[in-house]
């Protein structure tokens, strides 16, 4: 069967430069540009998992991220893309867009089956079917088994009503199918990394805690289930080799629930010599110094901790089961090994000194990321020569993001007045590892500086020296809402076709420099 998995926009987005749509199909009256978090535009991991299961089962699958597309373009895409089944991921933020897309699909492809899932659709399945008659089926929570059963029934021309784990329409009205148990062994699922390039990774499902505000139990059921260490390592190995930027965001609800498993996973990363950086989300009461040390040496650069509030009264009221003291203690433990911390209140931990990073390097040993942290602090403090030494040592040890290291070397070359050296380092960074926001920002500033005859006019050039864990949001389908390929509506066998870093960005030489930048570095808007 031909299956189109779609991530619709939040509402009818107007073409750039035109006023927004008014009324129920447009954005809320109080909406301002930028109100939607950048994470909104990332294709939900569930679509990749559903796509992987369907491909393994022999179906043809397309995943299209339309989350930032003007509505006229969405309509054109849906009209030209003919499929047997259309599946959509519905969050509260794009519930209007899901309804509009369902109506458009039904008008253009009246015989297609439309199924919707996601964190908004699961608790409000009956309401969605009531308000959007074009939707045939709602998948509840963990959807892979129900989705495959639906495809089997459609292929056999059998009724699709009564499938466990779904809501649907019948002669009696809107009904819920029988309860479907959670998947006991997550290793039985096809890995999304077998078929798709995405920097998002999930290694477990569920959380043993029951905070009053959280919807994890609604989606995954009660308790925690994790993929085996070997399964996760295989997935990492497959996708890291294809990603232009060696960064992964692990988006488990509570990654360190099983500390022994995480320790084994970290040791496995090092044993396999997988070179990449990663971030994860967890709780403050699930961290120990030995665990954090292993995580850092395996590439963990950032922790996002579910803190929620600095008030013990509020924490108790939401049944968080943590204390303010635990928040502070865990933060300090992470900082001791150089892991950056952000709270799910969006508070950070900037302000570390070179002495702090010297101590971290001593604790961790000859570790490339610790050398880079110290280098950054030294260079920002004006201790350039020593900073360059640690940058070069990081490169010798195989630092996974060399573009950021060469950015530091370009920064220091400019400080010495060595413009050829600066451009040589930028050029090399552009060749080996171009996709980093700070590098792109600096190169574009340098290009404008040369174009404006900055060296002769003695104009200042403001370059940035930093190497935060920051994934440049590359607008490449199907991960983000970039341009569709010319043959997006054609159905062929699924083939992974990773895009080389050089293919993203090309440019003419930098005007006024005696060295060339053969790769255009450009921040692409989503």
């Amino acid at each position: 069967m031909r299956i189109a998995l779609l991530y619709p926009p939040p509402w009818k987005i107007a073409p750039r430069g035109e006023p927004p749509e008014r009324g129920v199909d447009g954005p809320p009256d109080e909406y301002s540009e930028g109100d939607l978090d950048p994470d909104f535009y990332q294709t939900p991991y569930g679509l990749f998992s559903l796509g992987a299961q369907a491909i393994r089962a022999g179906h043809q699958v397309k995943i299209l991220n339309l989350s930032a597309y003007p509505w006229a373009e969405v309509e054109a895409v849906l009209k030209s893309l003919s499929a047997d089944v259309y599946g959509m991921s519905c969050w509260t933020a794009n519930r209007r867009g899901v309804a509009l897309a369902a109506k458009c699909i039904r008008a253009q492809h009246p015989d297609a089956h439309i199924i919707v899932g996601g964190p908004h659709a699961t608790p409000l399945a009956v309401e969605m079917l009531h308000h959007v008659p074009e939707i045939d089926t709602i998948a509840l929570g963990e959807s892979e088994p129900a989705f495959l059963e639906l495809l089997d029934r459609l292929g056999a021309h059998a009724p699709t009503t009564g499938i466990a784990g779904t809501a649907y329409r019948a002669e009696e009205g809107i009904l819920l199918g029988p309860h479907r148990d959670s998947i006991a062994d997550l290793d039985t699922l096809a890995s999304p990394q077998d078929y798709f390039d995405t920097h998002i990774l999930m290694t477990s499902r569920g959380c043993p805690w029951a905070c009053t505000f959280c919807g994890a139990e609604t989606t995954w059921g009660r308790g925690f289930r994790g993929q085996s260490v070997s399964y996760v390592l295989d997935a990492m190995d497959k996708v890291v080799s294809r990603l232009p930027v060696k960064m992964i965001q692990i988006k488990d609800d509570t990654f360190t629930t099983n500390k022994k498993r995480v320790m084994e996973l970290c040791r496995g990363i090092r044993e396999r010599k997988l070179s990449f950086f990663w971030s994860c989300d967890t709780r403050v009461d699930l961290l120990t110094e030995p665990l954090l040390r292993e995580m850092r040496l395996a590439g963990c650069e950032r922790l996002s901790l579910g803190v929620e509030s600095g008030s013990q009264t509020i924490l108790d009221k939401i049944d968080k089961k943590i204390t303010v003291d635990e928040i502070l203690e865990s933060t300090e433990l992470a900082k001791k090994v150089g892991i950056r911390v952000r709270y799910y209140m969006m508070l950070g931990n900037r302000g570390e000194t070179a002495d702090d990073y010297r101590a971290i390097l001593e604790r961790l040993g000859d570790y490339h990321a610790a050398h880079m942290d110290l280098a950054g602090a030294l260079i920002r403090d004006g201790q350039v020569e020593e900073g360059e030494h640690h940058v070069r040592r990081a490169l010798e040890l195989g630092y996974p993001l060399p573009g950021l290291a060469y950015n530091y070397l370009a920064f220091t070359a400019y400080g010495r007045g060595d413009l050829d050296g600066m451009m040589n380092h930028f050029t090399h960074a552009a060749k080996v590892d171009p996709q980093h926001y700070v590098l792109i920002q600096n190169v574009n500033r340098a290009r404008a500086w040369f174009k404006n005859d900055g060296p002769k006019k003695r104009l200042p050039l403001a370059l940035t020296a930093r190497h935060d864990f920051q994934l440049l949001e590359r607008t490449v389908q199907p991960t983000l809402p970039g341009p569709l390929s010319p043959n997006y509506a054609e159905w062929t066998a699924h083939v992974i076709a990773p895009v080389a870093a050089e293919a993203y960005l090309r440019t003419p030489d930098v005007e006024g420099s005696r060295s060339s930048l053969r790769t255009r570095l450009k921040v692409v808007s989503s």
Side-chain angles (χ1 to χ4, degrees):
M1 302 190 73
R2 295 176 173 179
I3 302 161
L5 300 176
L6 311 173
Y7 188 40
W11 40 68
K12 285 187 177 180
I13 297 175
R16 186 171 295 277
E18 295 187 12
E21 180 88 15
R22 295 298 178 186
V24 296
D25 293 341
D29 292 338
E30 63 274 17
Y31 173 77
S32 297
E33 189 74 24
D35 282 353
L36 286 173
D37 188 281
D39 286 347
F40 166 78
Y41 297 101
Q42 164 70 47
T43 298
Y45 195 72
L47 288 185
F48 288 121
S49 183
L50 292 175
Q53 313 319 309
I55 292 170
R56 187 175 68 176
H59 301 285
Q60 293 178 290
V61 174
K62 290 182 180 292
I63 299 180
L64 276 60
N65 185 324
L66 307 176
S67 60
Y69 275 46
W71 184 248
E73 294 182 30
V74 175
E75 288 184 311
V77 168
L78 296 180
K79 181 178 180 180
S80 60
L81 181 63
S82 178
D84 303 305
V85 178
Y86 294 84
M88 289 185 281
S89 183
C90 184
W91 300 65
T92 300
N94 73 338
R95 65 193 186 279
R96 291 186 179 95
V98 168
L100 291 164
K103 293 175 182 177
C104 182
I105 293 167
R106 182 62 66 222
Q108 298 294 335
H109 311 284
D111 296 328
H113 194 96
I114 301 174
I115 179 170
V116 175
H120 184 86
T122 291
L124 298 172
V126 173
E127 289 81 358
M128 283 199 72
L129 288 172
H130 175 74
H131 288 289
V132 190
E134 291 81 9
I135 298 173
D136 297 298
T137 304
I138 298 286
L140 306 175
E142 192 171 55
S143 301
E144 290 93 346
F147 185 63
L148 289 177
E149 183 175 343
L150 175 77
L151 297 181
D152 287 343
R153 292 200 188 187
L154 288 170
H157 303 288
T160 59
T161 56
I163 296 174
T166 67
Y168 54 92
R169 288 188 182 78
E171 291 183 1
E172 307 94 298
I174 296 171
L175 302 176
L176 296 176
H179 169 76
R180 187 183 288 272
D181 290 337
S182 298
I183 300 170
D185 183 1
L186 295 178
D187 285 11
T188 60
L189 292 173
S191 172
Q193 285 69 36
D194 284 342
Y195 306 102
F196 304 104
D197 294 337
T198 171
H199 60 267
I200 303 296
L201 177 67
M202 289 189 69
T203 78
S204 68
R205 295 179 177 181
C207 177
W209 287 266
C211 304
T212 57
F213 60 87
C214 184
E217 184 174 348
T218 301
T219 299
W220 304 124
R222 193 80 176 103
F224 173 88
R225 291 163 291 139
Q227 295 162 345
S228 68
V229 170
S230 60
Y231 183 100
V232 176
L233 289 171
D234 286 346
M236 289 176 169
D237 200 352
K238 291 168 187 171
V239 78
V240 165
S241 65
R242 304 194 305 261
L243 290 176
V245 179
K246 308 306 181 186
M247 287 183 176
I248 285 178
Q249 294 176 333
I250 298 175
K251 300 304 292 183
D252 299 13
D253 289 313
T254 313
F255 177 62
T256 62
T257 296
N258 184 333
K259 291 190 281 291
K260 179 182 177 183
R261 171 179 174 270
V262 175
M263 293 280 273
E264 292 175 358
L265 179 60
C266 291
R267 288 167 183 158
I269 290 172
R270 295 172 67 189
E271 289 168 1
R272 291 199 187 192
K273 294 181 170 52
L274 300 180
S275 184
F276 67 100
F277 288 137
W278 49 279
S279 65
C280 66
D281 302 354
T282 192
R283 291 172 56 95
V284 300
D285 53 349
L286 294 176
L287 299 172
T288 64
E289 189 166 352
L291 175 64
L292 287 164
R293 176 185 171 83
E294 287 293 335
M295 290 169 64
R296 182 74 205 280
L297 290 174
C300 181
E301 287 286 289
R302 188 181 70 197
L303 278 174
S304 297
L305 300 176
V307 168
E308 327 309 348
S309 174
S311 164
Q312 191 61 55
T313 300
I314 299 299
L315 292 172
D316 293 341
K317 285 184 177 180
I318 63 176
D319 203 21
K320 187 67 184 179
K321 290 185 170 59
I322 61 172
T323 66
V324 173
D325 287 342
E326 286 175 317
I327 295 171
L328 298 175
E329 290 167 5
S330 293
T331 300
E332 289 302 316
L333 285 178
K335 290 173 67 176
K336 282 182 68 175
V337 295
I339 296 178
R340 293 164 177 82
V341 176
R342 68 175 186 176
Y343 297 159
Y344 273 121
M345 297 186 299
M346 299 309 293
L347 300 176
N349 68 328
R350 295 183 181 273
E352 289 87 353
T353 66
D355 287 340
D356 294 327
Y357 286 122
R358 286 187 206 279
I360 292 168
L361 182 59
E362 290 177 5
R363 293 187 194 106
L364 297 180
D366 198 21
Y367 177 51
H368 51 60
H371 280 286
M372 274 290 283
D373 289 346
L374 178 54
L378 289 166
I379 290 169
R380 288 188 292 271
D381 285 348
Q383 302 176 59
V384 174
E385 186 174 344
E386 186 182 357
E388 284 187 335
H389 165 76
H390 287 284
V391 171
R392 295 185 188 281
R393 182 57 182 157
L395 286 168
E396 290 171 0
L397 293 170
Y399 188 68
L401 310 177
L404 295 180
Y406 287 108
N407 180 72
Y408 273 135
L409 296 179
F411 179 91
T412 58
Y414 170 73
R416 291 192 300 269
D418 180 6
L419 300 188
D420 281 348
M422 176 187 75
M423 295 312 301
N424 285 335
H425 289 309
F426 277 148
T427 298
H428 191 64
K431 288 179 179 177
V432 301
D433 191 26
Q435 287 284 333
H436 298 286
Y437 178 80
V438 66
L439 175 62
I440 290 170
Q441 184 183 57
N442 282 347
V443 170
N444 285 342
R445 287 173 178 172
R447 295 178 75 246
W449 186 66
F450 280 115
K451 185 176 182 179
N452 292 328
D453 211 12
K456 290 183 180 179
K457 295 178 181 178
R458 297 187 178 182
L459 300 175
L461 172 58
L463 298 178
T464 301
R466 53 190 284 190
H467 64 287
D468 300 353
F469 183 91
Q470 184 175 16
L471 249 167
L472 175 67
E473 297 293 342
R474 303 183 308 280
T475 52
V476 177
Q477 291 282 353
T479 303
L480 286 157
L484 297 172
S485 65
N487 61 345
Y488 74 87
E490 299 175 10
W491 292 93
T492 56
H494 184 86
V495 177
I496 298 177
V499 183
E502 293 81 3
Y504 288 111
L505 325 147
R506 293 195 180 277
T507 191
D509 292 350
V510 176
E511 300 176 41
S513 72
R514 285 169 287 170
S515 181
S516 64
L517 267 179
R518 292 183 174 82
T519 302
R520 181 183 177 101
L521 299 178
K522 179 183 178 183
V523 180
V524 282
S525 172
S526 60

